[in-house]
Amino acid sequence: MQGHAEEFRSPGSAGNAAVGVLLSHGFTGSPTSMRPFAEHLAAEGYGVAVPRLPGHGTSWREMNRTGWPDWYAVLDDELARLRREHDQVFVAGLSMGGCLALRLAEQHGTDISGLVLINPSVMTDDRRLAVLPVLSRIVPSFPGISNDIKKPGVDEGAYDRMPLRALQSLSQLWKLTKADLAKVTQPVLMFRSTVDHVVEPSSGRTVLASISSRDVTEILLEDSYHVATLDNDAPRIFAGSAAFIRRLSGVRQVGADA
């Protein structure tokens, strides 16, 4: 495992431990992309977990030996643990992590109190992926899509190659999740970068048009690219998400007056 791939967990404190938050990084990424977000929520006193998805944080070749059921299973297990330890659980995800968060919401209903989605991916407009089922058997990888970050000098710790067998599995996750979006009824807070070189705007628009949630807020990020949790708008994401969780959970901010 690479050094940047270290998982993060905090049990919660200061009366806010009744709330747990599960965070998921994206495709070919690592917990690094979610760590500052997780640390902010932990400082609020919430229980927080950022697991490392199988095949991530090691090598793209190893990732090619994993698929979406492996990634989902880790989050599903982590969600079950958080549900045992906390009264309410929220799920947040970046990119593919947003897709996995939506899939969890589709499968678990009211066990999840709300979703925070950052540039979620549920589809692509790239027609080249139509040949992916065949291509992935012949070519192991393409150049990567890492570090789409406007802020200079930031490294998300993602692979510099795109593992095509894993990408083929991701496309299957997209199809399943997109087909069941109407099952999502939880409150949703979506952050979407106006300039994103990885996920097309159609992905976020499809989510908003297809879910059944009544409590939905979209916030556009004008100063960040795809990995917005490490970019210039990160403080807006962190503060907005904490406020969203406070509003829905009824749990006060750490240090707030009684």
Side-chain angles (χ1 to χ4, degrees), residues 125-138:
D125 299 330
D126 191 338
R127 295 183 178 180
R128 293 175 297 176
L129 265 69
V131 300
L132 191 58
V134 175
L135 187 64
S136 62
R137 296 190 183 100
I138 304 168

Side-chain angles (χ1 to χ4, degrees), residues 70-190:
D70 304 307
W71 314 327
Y72 181 86
V74 165
L75 294 176
D76 199 41
D77 288 347
E78 199 76 46
L79 174 63
R81 181 186 67 80
L82 288 168
R83 284 289 299 154
R84 290 192 299 269
E85 297 176 1
H86 306 279
D87 297 334
Q88 300 179 65
V89 177
F90 293 78
V91 182
L94 167 67
S95 193
M96 178 190 76
C99 186
L100 289 164
L102 286 163
R103 190 63 181 162
L104 286 169
E106 292 167 358
Q107 298 295 305
H108 289 284
T110 55
D111 281 352
I112 295 174
S113 297
L115 298 176
V116 177
L117 308 174
I118 306 104
N119 295 322
S121 70
V122 296
M123 58 181 290
T124 182
D125 299 330
D126 191 338
R127 295 183 178 180
R128 293 175 297 176
L129 265 69
V131 300
L132 191 58
V134 175
L135 187 64
S136 62
R137 296 190 183 100
I138 304 168
V139 181
S141 70
F142 272 176
I145 53 168
S146 62
N147 289 330
D148 187 33
I149 302 171
K150 186 176 183 180
K151 188 176 183 179
V154 181
D155 183 1
E156 66 168 316
Y159 297 146
D160 59 3
R161 301 293 298 178
M162 173 75 72
L164 293 191
R165 293 187 194 91
L167 181 60
Q168 166 63 10
S169 185
L170 173 58
S171 71
Q172 294 167 348
L173 172 64
W174 284 340
K175 184 177 180 180
L176 285 168
T177 304
K178 185 180 172 185
D180 284 346
L181 281 173
K183 294 180 180 179
V184 177
T185 60
Q186 299 89 342
V188 171
L189 173 62
M190 180 188 292

